[in-house]
Amino acid sequence: MMSYKTLVGLEIHVELMTERKMFCNCKNEFGAMPNTNVCPVCLGLPGALPVMDKEAVEYAIMAGLAFNCEIEKTIIMDRKSYFYPDLTKGYQISQSDFPLCKGGFLEIDLDEGPKKIRLERIHIEEDTGKQIHTENGTTLLDFNRSGVPLIEIVTKPDINSSEEARLFLEKLKNTIKYLGVSDVKMEEGSLRCDVNINVIDEERNIRTNISEIKNLNSFKSVVKAIEYEQKRHIEALENGSNTDKETRRFNELTGETILMRKKFQASDYRYQFEADLTPIEIKEEWINEIRTAMPELPDQKKRRFMKDYKLNEYDASILTQSKELSFFYEELTDLVNDAKLAANWVMTDVLRRLKEEDKELSQLNLTPKALAELLDYVKSGKVNNNTAKKVLREMLETGESAKNIIDKQGLIQINDEEELSRVIDEVIKDNQQSVEDFKNGKDRALGYLMGQIMKKTKGKANPNTANKMLIDKINKN
Amino acid sequence: MISKEEVKNIAEIAKLKFGEDELEAFTEKFSLVLDFVHNINKVDTEGIEPCYGISEENGFFKELEEEQTLDREEVLKNTTESEYGYFKILKVVE
Ligand SMILES: [Zn+2]
């Protein structure tokens, strides 16, 4: 049996949500009318000079600190030369030898424990214009995106499976969201990811040549592309051949990758120092200021949730997996004053709903305050758990408040033993066979009888009280 | 002496095309240019710090007040073709 090891490195581009573009004062906004946020600098007109945006550097440093990188002491920019219609100057202002952030890592949680994925670097660069290919052989160009600041995060090939890649991307996306430096939306292009992959035959010590996969529009595509390539590389090894060092495109419809072009060598880009931008020294005190002002990150929040709310590690990591969810949970807990109850409801009912409808929390018709109102009924025992779940479903569908639904439908739990007693007697009388069955050891019969009680009370019976009373009555019978 | 293959590769990167006959002559001229440029390697740079700019002064960040954003009419003024506010070109695919 041969043993293969897959090596994956990711290159992730993240658009920074600065107010202005990286080298000019045009607005940095998504979705504006084409070519309305452009000027001589970002159009690359002759004679226009770039000047560095401070916010862009600050955001990039925040990302570097969040990912445990070492921050470079001087900003030095380079020109990366290539010809393409979306790049008017004929070069992209980027960084080559002196990336703003070096090293660093991000930790992902695997079943066997945490794993560090090391970073090679994070550098800053400008985005290019946007091309729209039409069906009649033309291309339309919009330069609103030209000059928007980007960070490119490059990992070491420490990722060994598609699942690890997915976990890494989710953690990265979440961390950047917490930082608030980008909205990291893959569908809008503010998060883009390329995959570098090859496979080693560990026994024979042979490795395939690296393929670079582009055009990945979702985390799902990243996973599928890695799995497809993994197979292709292993097949090459088994046939005694090798893969070519090349750039491939992922086809979302077929789930396959196809050859785009032979891979460019770094030297083909003819990197040279960008003399239009004088190097800028980064002062230690500025870095410290940025560090102090950084918001709480997912791992910090997770530890705090475990400590403050006495949550176990699993619950805490689920609840901090997205920034919105963690804020929702925290607000809910403050209102309900019961961390465990809030955690249960968010992790089961709210998350299930999001999954079912494939939605983000912000798209759900629910505020922490509205859910807190419902949970107060549960906490005080006025509404039982099952009824509350039904009320939540109705709240989400109609947008009505818990109080309105409960009042209108008279859903307050029946705790009154006299009333319950009457109902239970009726049920026992009408279902003698089930009572006998239960006495003969068929536990399922009890569930049936409880179901009848719930039916008669329209789900309002206090299940614990009713259950206890039912058993008592049968035993006394 | 630079090889014909290298010249072809560089031509491709620079989006230049020339025929087989031109290639011969170009390779020769290219080599002459490179030989000349190689003279720079004769300079003794032992102990000299690399230079990343001609200015001694520290660089600076931009001021946010001035904005040079253009009207779209102005933006598209010099293009031969435009459509729906976009620059329009023949499709380029690599
Ligand atoms: Zn501009």
Side-chain angles (χ1 to χ4, degrees):
Chain A
M1 191 59 209
M2 309 225 195
S3 73
Y4 298 113
K5 191 173 183 185
T6 304
L7 304 180
V8 175
L10 300 176
E11 286 171 24
I12 300 126
H13 284 93
V14 177
E15 269 181 358
L16 300 176
M17 282 193 302
T18 52
E19 194 191 327
R20 308 299 175 100
K21 290 189 185 180
M22 195 167 188
F23 302 117
C24 62
N25 274 334
C26 290
K27 277 199 206 88
N28 170 13
E29 58 178 350
F30 181 81
M33 296 288 283
N35 293 307
T36 52
N37 284 330
V38 291
C39 74
V41 174
C42 53
L43 276 174
L45 299 186
L49 282 175
V51 192
M52 182 66 84
D53 186 69
K54 191 174 181 184
E55 201 179 25
V57 177
E58 186 180 319
Y59 283 8
I61 292 175
M62 273 171 83
L65 294 173
F67 297 133
N68 315 291
C69 306
E70 188 192 322
I71 310 297
E72 183 68 59
K73 295 286 172 280
T74 312
I75 310 168
I76 294 177
M77 303 303 293
D78 294 287
R79 294 180 176 185
K80 177 182 182 179
S81 297
Y82 63 93
F83 291 117
Y84 214 57
D86 59 9
L87 187 67
T88 51
K89 299 190 296 298
Y91 59 83
Q92 178 189 26
I93 304 180
S94 178
Q95 293 190 300
S96 166
D97 292 343
F98 304 99
L100 186 61
C101 317
K102 280 182 294 190
F105 64 89
L106 188 62
E107 218 168 58
I108 54 171
D109 291 320
L110 301 178
D111 288 341
E112 59 266 31
K115 175 177 176 180
K116 260 185 196 167
I117 309 292
R118 292 169 303 157
L119 303 187
E120 188 71 47
R121 59 192 279 163
I122 302 177
H123 71 250
I124 49 175
E125 63 184 25
E126 58 175 339
D127 209 344
T128 60
K130 196 176 162 63
Q131 305 185 82
I132 300 168
H133 301 300
T134 70
E135 275 169 13
N136 40 33
T138 60
T139 295
L140 303 177
L141 294 166
D142 172 15
F143 290 100
N144 283 346
R145 203 182 67 181
S146 169
V148 164
L150 293 175
I151 46 175
E152 179 175 335
I153 303 166
V154 184
T155 76
K156 289 191 185 286
D158 285 353
I159 297 164
N160 299 115
S161 70
S162 57
E163 174 65 4
E164 285 182 23
R166 191 185 61 78
L167 288 170
F168 176 83
L169 285 170
E170 260 161 25
K171 183 81 174 271
L172 177 125
K173 177 177 170 171
N174 193 23
T175 305
I176 291 174
K177 260 199 170 164
Y178 270 74
L179 287 176
V181 300
S182 172
D183 54 6
V184 276
K185 288 183 181 162
M186 249 184 149
E187 65 278 13
E188 287 181 7
S190 54
L191 175 71
R192 285 167 252 159
C193 175
D194 299 336
V195 168
N196 285 296
I197 179 169
N198 67 338
V199 173
I200 302 180
D201 177 341
E202 288 187 307
E203 229 149 87
R204 295 187 292 162
N205 198 21
I206 308 173
R207 54 178 68 204
T208 53
N209 290 315
I210 296 173
S211 317
E212 182 179 8
I213 319 300
K214 290 193 176 286
N215 196 35
L216 299 162
N217 296 324
S218 65
F219 287 178
K220 268 186 204 141
S221 300
V222 172
V223 167
K224 279 195 205 148
I226 289 174
E227 282 162 5
Y228 179 86
E229 280 297 300
Q230 207 169 5
K231 236 163 98 193
R232 197 175 68 84
H233 281 245
I234 289 174
E235 265 166 27
L237 286 172
E238 290 190 336
N239 295 334
S241 62
N242 201 335
T243 52
D244 286 325
K245 189 173 157 84
E246 62 194 16
T247 303
R248 300 174 71 87
R249 183 204 307 272
F250 181 68
N251 182 333
E252 214 144 316
L253 297 175
T254 61
E256 295 170 343
T257 67
I258 39 173
L259 175 65
M260 257 172 99
R261 54 167 188 247
K262 296 282 169 198
K263 207 163 156 43
F264 251 49
Q265 305 285 329
S267 60
D268 292 343
Y269 288 118
R270 292 150 289 148
Y271 279 102
Q272 55 178 306
F273 169 63
E274 169 55 292
D276 282 348
L277 287 160
T278 313
I280 303 174
E281 189 200 334
I282 299 177
K283 296 211 168 68
E284 194 60 42
E285 39 199 285
W286 189 35
I287 296 176
N288 286 336
E289 260 172 52
I290 295 171
R291 187 180 279 121
T292 328
M294 286 223 316
E296 189 179 36
L297 295 175
D299 283 342
Q300 294 166 334
K301 192 167 237 177
K302 179 174 127 184
R303 283 193 293 275
R304 183 167 63 79
F305 276 14
M306 288 166 71
K307 187 168 157 280
D308 290 1
Y309 300 137
K310 307 277 178 292
L311 297 179
N312 63 39
E313 180 160 8
Y314 177 78
D315 292 2
S317 67
I318 298 271
L319 290 169
T320 52
Q321 241 165 38
S322 97
K323 183 181 175 184
E324 288 87 1
L325 193 70
S326 71
F327 276 86
F328 185 96
Y329 169 71
E330 207 156 11
E331 204 179 326
L332 181 66
T333 301
D334 284 348
L335 290 166
V336 181
N337 217 352
D338 185 335
K340 191 68 201 158
L341 182 72
N344 283 342
W345 276 76
V346 171
M347 287 180 56
T348 52
D349 295 87
V350 176
L351 279 184
R352 187 189 305 135
R353 186 77 182 199
L354 292 178
K355 211 167 180 183
E356 273 169 12
E357 301 194 3
D358 199 17
K359 273 186 180 168
E360 302 270 337
L361 189 59
S362 56
Q363 297 168 297
L364 206 63
N365 204 359
L366 189 69
T367 60
K369 214 175 150 199
L371 182 54
E373 189 186 61
L374 175 63
L375 295 195
D376 277 337
Y377 281 100
V378 177
K379 219 177 124 185
S380 60
K382 283 187 190 147
V383 167
N384 70 42
N385 225 23
N386 273 338
T387 306
K389 281 176 197 285
K390 280 180 206 142
V391 173
L392 176 62
R393 226 168 293 149
E394 200 159 331
M395 284 164 68
L396 291 169
E397 263 139 43
T398 61
E400 269 193 80
S401 73
K403 184 175 186 308
N404 270 356
I405 295 168
I406 290 165
D407 284 353
K408 220 189 303 174
Q409 303 183 13
L411 298 175
I412 296 292
Q413 184 162 268
I414 305 170
N415 292 314
D416 177 13
E417 299 205 3
E418 219 168 287
E419 194 178 345
L420 286 176
S421 178
R422 193 173 44 75
V423 174
I424 294 168
D425 287 343
E426 258 176 64
V427 168
I428 289 177
K429 200 177 114 222
D430 296 346
N431 298 280
Q432 279 303 315
Q433 185 57 47
S434 297
V435 174
E436 281 310 308
D437 288 350
F438 176 66
K439 280 181 175 167
N440 294 331
K442 283 190 189 160
D443 286 346
R444 269 207 343 232
L446 187 69
Y448 174 77
L449 293 169
M450 274 304 292
Q452 295 304 307
I453 294 167
M454 282 300 171
K455 209 168 160 188
K456 275 195 190 296
T457 56
K458 297 201 177 72
K460 292 186 291 185
N462 180 326
N464 292 332
T465 316
N467 197 53
K468 197 171 153 290
M469 286 172 70
L470 175 65
I471 294 173
D472 283 351
K473 276 179 193 283
I474 292 175
N475 287 341
K476 267 187 235 153
N477 230 327
Chain B
M1 181 88 176
I2 190 168
S3 75
K4 276 188 198 165
E5 277 318 302
E6 281 173 293
V7 172
K8 271 190 192 163
N9 189 29
I10 291 165
E12 203 184 311
I13 290 165
K15 308 281 179 216
L16 293 173
K17 271 186 196 146
F18 36 80
E20 208 49 44
D21 48 332
E22 290 168 298
L23 185 63
E24 190 83 36
F26 194 82
T27 306
E28 240 168 75
K29 281 183 193 163
F30 206 151
S31 291
L32 286 175
V33 173
L34 282 178
D35 286 345
F36 174 71
V37 175
H38 274 144
N39 282 324
I40 208 161
N41 287 338
K42 292 179 190 160
V43 180
D44 181 10
T45 54
E46 187 73 36
I48 311 258
E49 284 286 306
C51 158
Y52 295 104
I54 43 168
S55 171
E56 293 285 302
E57 276 168 50
N58 192 16
F60 50 87
F61 293 110
K62 69 176 140 82
E63 305 286 333
L64 286 182
E65 294 87 66
E66 37 172 340
E67 190 184 296
Q68 290 184 282
T69 304
L70 301 166
D71 285 337
R72 190 155 73 187
E73 219 171 284
E74 189 87 7
V75 173
L76 298 170
K77 194 171 71 181
N78 295 320
T79 189
T80 45
E81 269 194 272
S82 65
E83 200 170 74
Y84 318 119
Y86 293 91
F87 291 89
K88 186 175 161 187
I89 58 166
L90 282 175
K91 190 170 172 180
V92 181
V93 179
E94 281 201 349

